[in-house]
Amino acid sequence: MTDVIANLALGFGVAFSATNLMLCLVGALVGTLVGVLPGVGTIATVAMLLPITFGLPPVGALIMLAGIYYGAQYGGSTTSIPVNIPGEAGSVVTALDGFQMAKQGRAGPALAIAAIGSFFAGCVATFLIALLGAPLTKFALVFGATEYFSLMILGLVFAVVLAKGSLLKAIAMIVFGVLLSMVGADIETGASRMAFDIPELADGLGFATVAMGVFGFAEIIRNLDHGASMDRELVQQKISGLMPTRKDLKESAPAILRGTVLGSILGILPGGGAVIASFAAYTFEKKISRTPKMFGRGAIVGVAAPESANNAAAQTSFIPLLTLGIPPNAVMALMVGAMTIHGIIPGPQVMQKQPELVWGMIASMWIGNLMLLIINLPMVGIWVRLLRVPYRLLFPSIVIFCSIGIYSVNNSPTDVMLAGGFGIVGYWLAKHDFEPAPLLLGMVLGPLMEENLRRALLISRGDWSVFVTHPLSAALLGIAAALMVLSLLPVLRKKRDEVFVESEN
Amino acid sequence: MNNTQNGATDSSAPARKIKGPQDFYGGLVLMGIALFALWAASNLSGTHGFSFGPGTAPRIFASLLLLLGAGIAVSGLLIEGEPIQRYGFRGLFFVTVAIVSFAATIRPLGLAVSSMLSFVLASYGTPEMNWKETLIVGGILTLGCCLLFPYGLGLSLDLYPSILR
């Protein structure tokens, strides 16, 4: 316990420096700003804004990126209440009841409850990270190459099982991502692999390049399919009376608590992260509610629970990243990309060698949440006005912004072309119902998996059976296999789909 | 990435042999990618004793992708599924052209000209574009980017065409 407090104190010491506070604030604001824009999801926001952090020192860059992340998360829910446009996937369910509340003239309390729930969840999650960080890191340090490889397999299986859609297709996307990660120089021998003597490919495909293509450009092209005019049902009346009533608070408090717990657990598990957390929390509330009919007609718990859950999950998903070095979802994969650019390889070593970096970031999360609570509620009016920016002007701006961003990473026009190419790939993938998130995960985990697989087999002298004879590794693989089998059972499959279907009708 | 657009085209084609075209062709293309990767990695040396060569892992994963692609294609052949969705070529074309134009012109023409040009090109991606609006917003955005990136963020970008530098 003293450890936890000492670590947090160290973190707050770092985070409370003037520059870092500033960066946290700017990150949260810019994240909200972009997150609010319709048709730009959380992942796209983080991918788009990644390059603006390149010039900063590592701690500052990570603090700002984390700020951007939960800012975007927050922006997404802000717009889903007064305007029926969820800015990102996680707030789709918030829109169900939030928008109904707004129609009844209760947008203020809905927004306030969402903010309070998010803040509470954020506090709990921050503490949870601090609490679990150190022991998990110690645990991770006893892992050898064999265990690490099995752990990654388990992580990926989790990601596939919790994701939406076909298992086979999700696995294919992971493998595709791993394959993409192998382009460029081989780590051990230096041999150039699948690079066709293109100098820009010698160092491998840039992570930011692929992410920007598959998430940024592809999403724009997809949105344009429906024509640029998205239908927007704006609630015109002014948002007045932010404060929820005593009854609202009393109703929401247990929901916030349940949402936080559910979100924290689902966030740590690799896979869905924030998105699945909010879906699950909503479904859960509806199931245990005494008045399930109220859901979809402006039930305040229908806002409180998913919002707390998605914020809790957004933050606890940092736990596997910081302690084990394994990103549990696509946004965390982007964080790995950003860290690598700053020369940091996330994992147990970072926690030990650069504690100020990790704890500074964790502390800044709490500060960032507080800032969002204070800044965003009064600024809701401005955010909503942003939604009136027509998409026909918005999307060319995003194209330019992304292009400049990619170009500035290496000052390389080829990177911009590659991102454009991946935009087309991403568009094609979407048309065939392939999810791009597992691809990104595969691409980040690819080099790690290959390295550990190679090392494990080298140590075992080429004997593949080590993965099942090492007890820890065998246990991890056993869990992975069990999960796969379970998720294929028709009963559970139906349940899983139900959770996602909730939003669509 | 959350919602898939279902039913973009009608599925009333008479007596289709392929039950889920979306998966069938998706799987085929993945198989193509896998074969391409296998070919691209064919010149790399493989396993040597019990240590991996540079070509081992690419071959393992490419073969895996080949199998998975085949699995998806077969399931698309046999299981009733989604039809191929309609592609919107206008957005695809102009957004791509705008990106390519940016890549081609950023070095010789500099940020100011390049981003303005790409903005206009990208705007064509929708039939709703109108010239006046595009030029005004594009101009403001270009100005903003010219201030933000080189000065605000300290990135080394050339602002003006190389002749003027």
Side-chain angles (χ1 to χ4, degrees):
Chain A
M1 204 60 201
T2 45
D3 266 7
V4 175
I5 292 162
N7 285 334
L8 278 178
L10 171 70
F12 277 105
V14 176
F16 264 116
S17 80
T19 358
N20 288 342
L21 276 179
M22 220 19 231
L23 288 171
C24 185
L25 177 67
V26 173
L29 276 181
V30 177
T32 315
L33 186 88
V34 182
V36 162
L37 301 174
V40 188
T42 313
I43 305 173
T45 307
V46 179
M48 243 173 78
L49 296 174
L50 200 58
I52 68 172
T53 63
F54 288 163
L56 301 168
V59 187
L62 289 184
I63 286 181
M64 189 163 169
L65 266 178
I68 290 171
Y69 174 37
Y70 38 73
Q73 200 84 30
Y74 201 100
S77 39
T78 305
T79 57
S80 64
I81 292 172
V83 202
N84 198 9
I85 307 173
E88 42 102 29
S91 36
V92 171
V93 278
T94 313
L96 296 179
D97 280 286
F99 183 61
Q100 291 305 323
M101 282 184 72
K103 267 185 166 171
Q104 297 157 15
R106 306 222 308 137
L111 284 164
I113 280 293
I116 294 167
S118 295
F119 180 67
F120 175 77
C123 293
V124 173
T126 306
F127 191 71
L128 206 61
I129 299 175
L131 201 67
L132 289 180
L136 264 178
T137 308
K138 282 206 191 84
F139 182 61
L141 283 172
V142 303
F143 274 32
T146 321
E147 286 80 12
Y148 239 108
F149 181 76
S150 304
L151 180 67
M152 277 182 268
I153 297 286
L154 175 62
L156 288 174
V157 167
F158 252 119
V160 173
V161 170
L162 290 180
K164 190 184 167 185
S166 146
L167 280 186
L168 203 56
K169 285 167 118 175
I171 300 171
M173 281 301 98
I174 289 175
V175 174
F176 187 22
V178 174
L179 213 50
L180 286 178
S181 78
M182 286 171 184
V183 174
D186 177 26
I187 325 165
E188 273 172 46
T189 59
S192 169
R193 306 197 285 189
M194 305 185 272
F196 308 104
D197 294 323
I198 301 169
E200 279 84 358
L201 285 183
D203 280 337
L205 281 167
F207 182 75
T209 315
V210 177
M212 203 89 91
V214 193
F215 285 102
F217 291 147
E219 221 163 280
I220 291 173
I221 301 172
R222 253 180 59 199
N223 286 338
L224 285 177
D225 277 3
H226 316 287
S229 60
M230 298 183 183
D231 53 332
R232 273 169 222 183
E233 219 183 321
L234 265 150
V235 167
Q236 294 295 345
Q237 72 227 50
K238 270 196 100 148
I239 296 160
S240 56
L242 269 177
M243 278 324 286
T245 59
R246 191 177 280 269
K247 182 170 162 278
D248 290 339
L249 283 174
K250 219 175 133 194
E251 258 179 69
S252 329
I256 289 176
L257 206 63
R258 283 189 293 261
T260 304
V261 173
L262 202 58
S264 302
I265 298 168
L266 285 170
I268 299 175
L269 298 183
V275 181
I276 190 155
S278 56
F279 280 99
Y282 188 83
T283 319
F284 184 69
E285 285 302 322
K286 198 172 168 182
K287 202 136 273 174
I288 63 163
S289 170
R290 259 173 280 154
T291 51
K293 273 192 190 148
M294 276 306 288
F295 281 78
R297 294 190 188 142
I300 197 159
V301 287
V303 176
E307 277 305 296
S308 326
N310 86 32
N311 210 42
Q315 290 200 28
T316 51
S317 57
F318 274 96
I319 294 177
L321 175 73
L322 292 174
T323 56
L324 308 174
I326 295 181
N329 56 39
V331 182
M332 289 302 121
L334 278 168
M335 293 296 275
V336 176
M339 288 178 164
T340 325
I341 286 166
H342 286 285
I344 307 159
I345 312 293
Q349 282 83 10
V350 181
M351 204 75 151
Q352 295 208 316
K353 285 184 193 145
Q354 289 166 291
E356 72 287 348
L357 188 102
V358 175
W359 296 108
M361 189 163 104
I362 293 171
S364 84
M365 287 177 199
W366 186 80
I367 300 172
N369 271 298
L370 187 65
M371 284 179 177
L372 284 173
L373 183 68
I374 299 169
I375 302 161
N376 272 346
L377 279 181
M379 282 174 77
V380 167
I382 299 175
W383 300 138
V384 171
R385 202 160 306 147
L386 263 177
L387 283 165
R388 304 223 167 97
V389 178
Y391 198 65
R392 63 173 184 275
L393 296 174
L394 191 59
F395 83 88
S397 317
I398 301 175
V399 170
I400 306 298
F401 207 77
C402 287
S403 301
I404 299 175
I406 303 161
Y407 177 73
S408 65
V409 178
N410 292 323
N411 272 352
S412 142
T414 316
D415 281 354
V416 182
M417 298 282 258
L418 281 171
F422 275 101
I424 300 173
V425 172
Y427 178 69
W428 180 84
L429 290 176
K431 285 284 161 191
H432 285 266
D433 213 5
F434 288 110
E435 296 274 326
L439 181 134
L440 213 56
L441 222 47
M443 200 179 156
V444 170
L445 286 179
L448 272 173
M449 274 174 75
E450 187 187 356
E451 201 190 322
N452 284 298
L453 178 63
R454 273 176 156 184
R455 210 181 303 152
L457 287 176
L458 200 63
I459 298 167
S460 75
R461 309 175 76 89
D463 181 8
W464 284 80
S465 70
V466 278
F467 293 107
V468 285
T469 49
H470 280 211
L472 200 53
S473 160
L476 291 168
L477 286 180
I479 300 171
L483 266 174
M484 278 294 234
V485 173
L486 275 179
S487 70
L488 287 173
L489 294 178
V491 185
L492 283 173
R493 262 203 97 64
K494 231 181 96 204
K495 268 260 152 17
R496 194 190 71 149
D497 291 341
E498 256 171 37
V499 173
F500 285 109
V501 158
E502 195 77 48
S503 71
E504 278 160 22
N505 36 32
Chain B
M1 60 231 91
N2 51 329
N3 50 351
T4 50
Q5 297 85 40
N6 295 335
T9 52
D10 62 328
S11 53
S12 55
R16 273 183 295 128
K17 281 200 188 108
I18 300 160
K19 289 184 172 163
Q22 193 187 68
D23 281 5
F24 179 70
Y25 293 108
L28 281 193
V29 173
L30 286 189
M31 287 171 75
I33 293 170
L35 287 174
F36 177 74
L38 279 175
W39 170 76
S42 58
N43 60 342
L44 296 167
S45 57
T47 313
H48 184 74
F50 38 70
S51 82
F52 271 29
T56 312
R59 274 198 275 278
I60 293 177
F61 282 95
S63 314
L64 207 55
L65 188 61
L66 191 64
L67 278 177
L68 289 165
I72 294 167
V74 169
S75 79
L77 201 58
L78 302 176
I79 301 167
E80 203 64 47
E82 301 286 324
I84 298 272
Q85 294 183 30
R86 196 171 47 86
Y87 285 77
F89 284 104
R90 182 173 183 142
L92 182 67
F93 178 76
F94 282 105
V95 169
T96 310
V97 166
I99 297 166
V100 171
S101 141
F102 183 88
T105 57
I106 179 79
R107 282 267 171 85
L109 297 182
L111 184 63
V113 180
S114 185
S115 52
M116 188 68 203
L117 189 64
S118 295
F119 189 93
V120 174
L121 283 170
S123 300
Y124 271 109
T126 168
E128 293 156 49
M129 90 77 93
N130 87 48
W131 270 103
K132 206 170 123 199
E133 208 180 52
T134 301
L135 288 179
I136 295 171
V137 176
I140 296 171
L141 186 87
T142 302
L143 186 69
C145 284
C146 289
L147 292 174
L148 175 69
F149 286 97
Y151 300 108
L153 297 170
L155 301 172
S156 62
L157 285 167
D158 293 320
L159 281 183
Y160 311 106
S162 53
I163 317 163
L164 301 178
R165 269 174 239 148

